[in-house]
Amino acid sequence: MSDDWRDLLNREIFPFVEYEGYDDKYPTRNIDLISKEQADELRYVSGVLFGAFQRAVQVCQHCGEQFLVDLEIPPQLIPYLQQENVMRLASWLSRFDYVQDEAGELHMVEINADTPCAVVEAYYGNMVACTHFGVEDPNYGEYDKLCSWLNEIFLASEPGVSISTGRFHRKHPFLFACFHDYQEDMATTQFLMRAMKKNTLAVEADDAICFTSFYDLAVRNDGSILLPDGRTANAIYRLHPLEILIEERTPDGDTLGQDFMEGYLNGRFMMFNPPEAIIMQSKAFQALVWALNNNNQGGQRVFTDVESSIIKRYMLPSYFARDFSPAYLQTGSSWIKKPIWGREGAGIEVIDKQGVRMTKDVDSEDIVRRDSRDSMYQLFVEQKKCTAATDSGTMTGYKTLSCFMLGKNPSALYARFSPDQIAGTEAYWLPLGLK
């Protein structure tokens, strides 16, 4: 019997343990232990921040288009971000990311609100690792909560829906979709689909909830999503960034992305995550939250006292490019300059008063992302170092801690390890146990 715990991972559930083009397996050989106090802190802070972020999204929705323009939201998307969705939340499944400074203090650096990945790692793989190493799983019970939350979304997708009578699945299934030839997206999409089916308690679940590759979908003239079998989707989970989707066209040049969004606007289907998740997803959103909190005095207060204190304590000073003063560089601090639509660390620079001191080297051709017109600036944190066991040996690097959100409720924790302070595609998944 192998002593490598990664051999226990079911490759049908988790097929990307080995990544083509990488010599090392994606999971580390070891498990990292965190205290229950830190696990509780991650969840508490994430819950408070989500409430604040939800409020900031509503400011964007109700205060005219300029807020959305500042966030570099694609102009074609803006008309679709004003209406309220059935769950009344800007994001239904999201993930906050945190780094630790050299003193071990947490700082929130990102929210993945539109198409968060690492779901399989947090809700399945972490349990396998903790069982092997004989430690308590910080995510114990969170998979059941995920299933319950997805069931709530399913039932909300059509009022009065009844699987048992066949009203739902006969013509209008809940569709899960991604590009099937991208292994990680395919595994994540299938994992969430199975989790939604778990609580339907009906033999018709396989018809009511189904998968179709993006390659095999079409948008009808009325905006409905057409499946290969002739049915139209009542709802869609799409693991494809909205800022990319909106500009996509058919081989004939038709505006596929815009037709898709028109179908959503006209009520042809429900979308998971909803379009307004893109507001939180913009890197500049943190600059907006920081500015709103600094103006959270007297008259028009956006955040509660608790939210305001958590923002000050756990968020980092963040500024739109136009608001970033050269004087900030003279304080001796370093700042991280992020493209507003950057992904996997592409385009990131760290600067100080001497100029650029660090650039993230990423082969951006392999990363699906939107080109950014502008950047935002955020205080750079010198991170606490840690070690991890990889197939290449023990490495020294840095850990990013994450907390998933099921709507407004904190859920599973996740961590990744990177040899670099700015994590990119070379990062490893680092399982978490409780001390």
Side-chain angles (χ1 to χ4, degrees), residues 65-97:
E65 292 187 6
Q66 189 55 48
F67 278 95
L68 299 171
V69 171
D70 285 347
L71 299 180
E72 213 174 290
I73 300 295
Q76 313 95 300
L77 270 179
I78 290 177
Y80 310 110
L81 305 180
Q82 310 298 329
Q83 67 187 54
E84 190 173 66
N85 62 70
V86 294
M87 306 307 286
R88 294 181 171 83
L89 294 167
S91 180
W92 304 348
L93 176 65
S94 58
R95 195 192 78 226
F96 281 102
D97 292 344

Side-chain angles (χ1 to χ4, degrees), residues 170-184:
R170 216 168 262 148
K171 294 182 179 178
H172 309 294
F174 196 115
L175 173 67
F176 282 76
C178 69
F179 291 109
H180 72 271
D181 50 1
Y182 184 29
Q183 191 177 53
E184 185 176 351

Side-chain angles (χ1 to χ4, degrees), residues 212-435:
T212 303
S213 173
F214 273 135
Y215 293 121
D216 300 324
L217 293 177
V219 179
R220 298 200 317 191
N221 290 336
D222 67 355
S224 300
I225 300 173
L226 182 66
L227 278 67
D229 61 11
R231 295 185 294 169
T232 56
N234 190 62
I236 181 172
Y237 166 84
R238 41 114 202 131
L239 191 47
H240 188 44
L242 202 59
E243 74 270 18
I244 303 296
L245 176 63
I246 188 61
E247 295 193 340
E248 290 189 334
R249 294 177 175 268
T250 66
D252 298 328
D254 295 330
T255 54
L256 178 65
Q258 211 148 346
D259 293 347
F260 177 85
M261 293 307 303
E262 280 296 307
Y264 172 80
L265 188 65
N266 293 322
R268 300 300 180 190
F269 55 88
M270 185 183 84
M271 198 188 309
F272 170 21
N273 272 311
E276 53 268 38
I278 198 71
I279 298 174
M280 286 189 192
Q281 185 72 35
S282 165
K283 296 286 193 299
F285 182 74
Q286 290 186 56
L288 174 67
V289 171
W290 190 257
L292 289 173
N293 195 50
N294 285 345
N295 296 325
N296 202 18
Q297 309 297 325
Q300 288 294 106
R301 301 192 67 208
V302 177
F303 306 119
T304 66
D305 289 344
V306 171
E307 289 168 350
S308 182
S309 65
I310 290 292
I311 288 168
K312 289 176 184 174
R313 164 68 184 80
Y314 289 93
M315 288 186 68
L316 293 164
S318 304
Y319 298 95
F320 294 102
R322 66 168 186 267
D323 298 329
F324 185 75
S325 168
Y328 295 146
L329 294 173
Q330 304 307 315
T331 62
S333 299
S334 295
W335 293 80
I336 190 164
K337 182 181 178 184
K338 300 180 181 181
I340 286 177
W341 293 113
R343 287 177 181 265
E344 304 291 355
I348 284 181
E349 295 178 339
V350 177
I351 59 175
D352 59 21
K353 60 184 178 182
Q354 266 76 49
V356 177
R357 55 168 278 204
M358 186 191 305
T359 302
K360 183 64 180 175
D361 184 19
V362 174
D363 186 357
S364 58
E365 290 183 3
D366 295 333
I367 300 171
V368 178
R369 64 187 176 110
R370 180 183 178 84
D371 290 334
S372 301
R373 294 193 312 273
D374 213 341
S375 299
M376 57 86 69
Y377 291 80
Q378 189 173 67
L379 187 68
F380 179 68
V381 174
E382 292 289 352
Q383 294 175 49
K384 181 180 180 180
K385 291 184 178 180
C386 65
T387 59
T390 73
D391 292 317
S392 295
T394 299
M395 288 187 181
T396 299
Y398 308 89
K399 176 172 62 178
T400 303
L401 290 162
S402 302
C403 179
F404 279 91
M405 299 292 299
L406 304 179
K408 61 184 178 182
N409 297 310
S411 184
L413 304 181
Y414 158 79
R416 66 180 182 269
F417 169 86
S418 172
D420 301 324
Q421 292 209 55
I422 303 168
T425 56
E426 80 293 339
Y428 297 83
W429 164 48
L430 179 65
L432 292 174
L434 290 178
K435 291 179 182 177

Side-chain angles (χ1 to χ4, degrees), residues 102-287:
E102 291 174 313
E105 299 294 323
L106 292 168
H107 300 277
M108 194 280 293
V109 291
E110 191 167 347
I111 181 171
N112 297 273
D114 186 36
T115 55
C117 289
V119 172
V120 181
E121 296 92 309
Y123 287 93
Y124 162 70
N126 209 73
M127 173 269 296
V128 175
C130 288
T131 300
H132 173 81
F133 288 103
V135 297
E136 187 177 352
D137 183 2
N139 297 338
Y140 178 79
E142 294 301 333
Y143 177 72
D144 290 338
K145 293 178 184 177
L146 173 68
C147 294
S148 296
W149 175 237
L150 292 174
N151 192 48
E152 283 187 49
I153 292 172
F154 174 76
L155 294 175
S157 62
E158 183 177 332
V161 63
S162 170
I163 299 178
S164 60
T165 63
R167 177 181 165 211
F168 189 90
H169 77 267
R170 216 168 262 148
K171 294 182 179 178
H172 309 294
F174 196 115
L175 173 67
F176 282 76
C178 69
F179 291 109
H180 72 271
D181 50 1
Y182 184 29
Q183 191 177 53
E184 185 176 351
D185 280 9
M186 181 66 168
T188 302
T189 303
Q190 295 275 3
F191 184 84
L192 288 169
M193 181 180 70
R194 289 192 295 268
M196 181 178 278
K197 287 181 179 182
K198 185 173 182 286
N199 282 358
T200 58
L201 303 176
V203 293
E204 297 93 341
D206 287 339
D207 287 331
I209 303 166
C210 66
F211 173 83
T212 303
S213 173
F214 273 135
Y215 293 121
D216 300 324
L217 293 177
V219 179
R220 298 200 317 191
N221 290 336
D222 67 355
S224 300
I225 300 173
L226 182 66
L227 278 67
D229 61 11
R231 295 185 294 169
T232 56
N234 190 62
I236 181 172
Y237 166 84
R238 41 114 202 131
L239 191 47
H240 188 44
L242 202 59
E243 74 270 18
I244 303 296
L245 176 63
I246 188 61
E247 295 193 340
E248 290 189 334
R249 294 177 175 268
T250 66
D252 298 328
D254 295 330
T255 54
L256 178 65
Q258 211 148 346
D259 293 347
F260 177 85
M261 293 307 303
E262 280 296 307
Y264 172 80
L265 188 65
N266 293 322
R268 300 300 180 190
F269 55 88
M270 185 183 84
M271 198 188 309
F272 170 21
N273 272 311
E276 53 268 38
I278 198 71
I279 298 174
M280 286 189 192
Q281 185 72 35
S282 165
K283 296 286 193 299
F285 182 74
Q286 290 186 56

Side-chain angles (χ1 to χ4, degrees), residues 34-49 98 100 104-107 310 313-314 401 403 410 413:
I34 63 172
S35 67
K36 184 179 185 305
E37 290 74 22
Q38 187 169 65
D40 291 344
E41 181 184 13
L42 282 163
R43 290 190 169 106
Y44 172 73
V45 172
S46 298
V48 175
L49 285 177
Y98 299 81
Q100 290 178 286
E105 299 294 323
L106 292 168
H107 300 277
I310 290 292
R313 164 68 184 80
Y314 289 93
L401 290 162
C403 179
L413 304 181

